[in-house]
């Protein structure tokens, strides 16, 4: 596989305000946390960084506020080698923020979208040339649904595969689901999907990430599980994003679904061994070495 895969991500860019704590406070309770960090995040940016570190040529279409967080996030994306021409800087709007509590090997996240809600169909239309030259387009749901719908139509018309990570969960119009190549919910999101669709009818496009329990998918009518790699966990924030960025990159390269999941699983396992959403995202060589160590 020697071509450079092109992945275009349309999604959120946030500053993650992360507190680590031994316990989660109860209603009305004040507790002392352990540490506080300001780190680059946002599902769109995270997935873009994951794909870029794994060797994809990445375009990111998104929006930032005209504030200090916006300036700093734009710099970090450029350092990762991501094409940031499709990122609009919105006047008098705040950059997206995620308030994250990390405790007991898991995280709880509240996103305040800010500029991310300015990622409009018009913005996508302005940069549609990037989409036309992509091998895969990757979306999440921290931007307006109408933009997700618009992009999916554009991709369908131009025969470009689309991966939607339905997080945070919202019901997608049925036609969007039908036009999507793969949907990648986690265990909680898939439970919500079951209320909205007959999963049986779309199961071949649904890839369920279950953290340390592995990844479930269907092929030729049969369910299969790719087990997770057991590693020492430092921070699970961004593990799903690493999986999505890696999965999209491998699909863009023409890998089989099993191989793409295996590779993405390894990338996600490595990502949780370091702190922060993007802190542990590996390079392709690190993933290959890890797969070899684990004799896959
Ligand atoms: O998936 C993790 C990400 O979710 C964080 O980086 C946060 O910004 C939210 O978008």
């Amino acid at each position: 596989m020697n071509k450079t895969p092109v992945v275009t991500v349309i999604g959120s860019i946030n500053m993650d305000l992360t507190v680590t704590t031994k316990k989660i406070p109860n209603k009305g309770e004040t507790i002392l946390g352990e540490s506080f960090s300001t780190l680059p995040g946002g599902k769109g940016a995270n997935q873009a960084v994951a794909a870029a570190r794994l060797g994809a040529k990445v375009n990111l279409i998104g929006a930032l506020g005209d504030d200090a967080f916006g300036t700093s996030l734009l710099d970090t994306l450029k350092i990762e080698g991501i094409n940031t021409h499709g990122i609009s800087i919105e006047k008098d709007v705040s950059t997206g923020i995620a308030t994250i509590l990390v405790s007991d090997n898991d995280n709880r996240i509240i996103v305040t979208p800010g500029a991310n809600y300015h990622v409009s169909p018009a913005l996508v239309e302005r940069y549609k040339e990037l989409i036309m030259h992509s091998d895969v387009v990757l979306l999440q749901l921290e931007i307006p649904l109408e933009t997700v719908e618009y992009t999916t139509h554009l991709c369908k018309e131009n025969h470009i595969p689309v991966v939607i990570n339905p997080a945070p969960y919202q019901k997608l119009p049925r036609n969007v689901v039908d036009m999507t190549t793969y949907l990648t919910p986690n265990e909680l999101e898939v439970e919500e999907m079951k209320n909205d669709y007959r999963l049986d009818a779309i199961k071949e496009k649904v890839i369920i990430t279950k953290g340390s329990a592995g990844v479930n998918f269907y092929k030729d009518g049969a369910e299969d599980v790719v087990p997770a790699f057991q590693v020492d966990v430092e921070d699970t924030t961004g593990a799903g994003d690493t999986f999505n960025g890696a999965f999209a990159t491998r699909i863009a390269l023409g890998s089989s679904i099993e191989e793409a999941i295996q590779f993405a699983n390894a990338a996600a396992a490595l990502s949780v061994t370091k702190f922060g959403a993007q802190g542990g995202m590996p390079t392709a060589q690190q993933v290959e070495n890890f797969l070899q160590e684990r004799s896959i």
Side-chain angles (χ1 to χ4, degrees):
M1 291 187 188
N2 49 15
K3 76 162 193 165
T4 302
V6 181
V7 176
T8 296
V9 181
I10 295 122
S12 59
I13 313 168
N14 297 331
M15 191 58 93
D16 289 353
L17 309 182
T18 304
V19 172
T20 61
T21 169
K22 281 215 179 344
K23 69 168 264 194
I24 303 293
N26 292 316
K27 200 172 176 182
E29 185 185 22
T30 302
I31 61 163
L32 296 179
E34 293 181 309
S35 71
F36 172 74
S37 326
T38 308
L39 296 164
K43 294 188 195 301
N46 293 342
Q47 294 179 19
V49 169
R53 290 209 189 143
L54 292 167
K57 182 175 178 306
V58 179
N59 307 304
L60 177 56
I61 299 177
L64 290 163
D66 61 346
D67 50 18
F69 283 162
T71 307
S72 145
L73 289 167
L74 189 62
D75 285 347
T76 62
L77 292 165
K78 285 181 181 161
I79 290 167
E80 296 288 345
I82 291 166
N83 176 7
T84 59
H85 287 110
I87 297 178
S88 107
I89 309 296
E90 299 292 325
K91 216 173 153 6
D92 300 327
V93 175
S94 303
T95 293
I97 293 293
T99 307
I100 304 185
L101 289 184
V102 173
S103 186
D104 193 20
N105 276 354
D106 223 324
N107 60 65
R108 289 168 170 78
I109 305 179
I110 302 174
V111 172
T112 312
N116 295 309
Y117 261 61
H118 291 248
V119 181
S120 59
L123 183 69
V124 173
E125 174 68 23
R126 202 178 314 151
Y127 294 102
K128 76 173 178 200
E129 273 307 302
L130 297 175
I131 291 176
M132 304 300 187
H133 294 99
S134 302
D135 295 309
V136 166
V137 165
L138 180 55
L139 296 144
Q140 323 72 33
L141 305 183
E142 287 181 341
I143 56 171
L145 267 191
E146 58 171 343
T147 306
V148 175
E149 188 167 0
Y150 178 83
T151 308
T152 315
H153 273 284
L154 193 64
C155 292
K156 180 73 182 171
E157 276 162 25
N158 293 284
H159 312 288
I160 297 161
V162 183
V163 178
I164 299 185
N165 174 218
Y169 186 76
Q170 293 170 70
K171 185 179 178 184
L172 290 164
R174 181 58 210 238
N175 67 328
V176 173
V177 170
D178 289 341
M179 289 184 292
T180 301
T181 317
Y182 294 112
L183 287 147
T184 57
N186 67 16
E187 287 169 288
L188 298 177
E189 290 145 7
V190 81
E191 287 309 313
E192 299 199 65
M193 277 180 75
K194 283 180 190 164
N195 298 328
D196 292 333
Y197 317 99
R198 271 191 46 243
L199 229 51
D200 215 37
I202 53 169
K203 62 186 179 197
E204 300 263 338
K205 50 176 88 199
V206 180
I207 293 163
I208 308 163
T209 57
K210 296 165 56 181
S212 58
V215 176
N216 286 42
F217 69 106
Y218 275 87
K219 199 176 171 197
D220 303 328
E223 189 174 17
D224 210 342
V225 182
V226 177
F229 296 98
Q230 303 309 317
V231 291
D232 291 333
V233 176
E234 172 75 24
D235 179 9
T236 57
T237 312
D241 297 330
T242 309
F243 180 91
N244 278 280
F247 178 75
T249 301
R250 298 311 274 198
I251 292 294
L253 267 175
S255 299
S256 70
I257 180 165
E258 295 90 335
E259 197 277 334
I261 292 174
Q262 182 72 265
F263 186 89
N265 246 354
L270 284 167
S271 80
V272 303
T273 62
K274 302 257 170 62
F275 194 71
Q278 297 172 15
M281 287 176 177
T283 61
Q285 191 58 57
Q286 287 169 326
V287 176
E288 298 296 356
N289 293 347
F290 179 78
L291 285 169
Q292 220 161 31
E293 276 165 30
R294 301 285 174 124
S295 319
I296 299 293

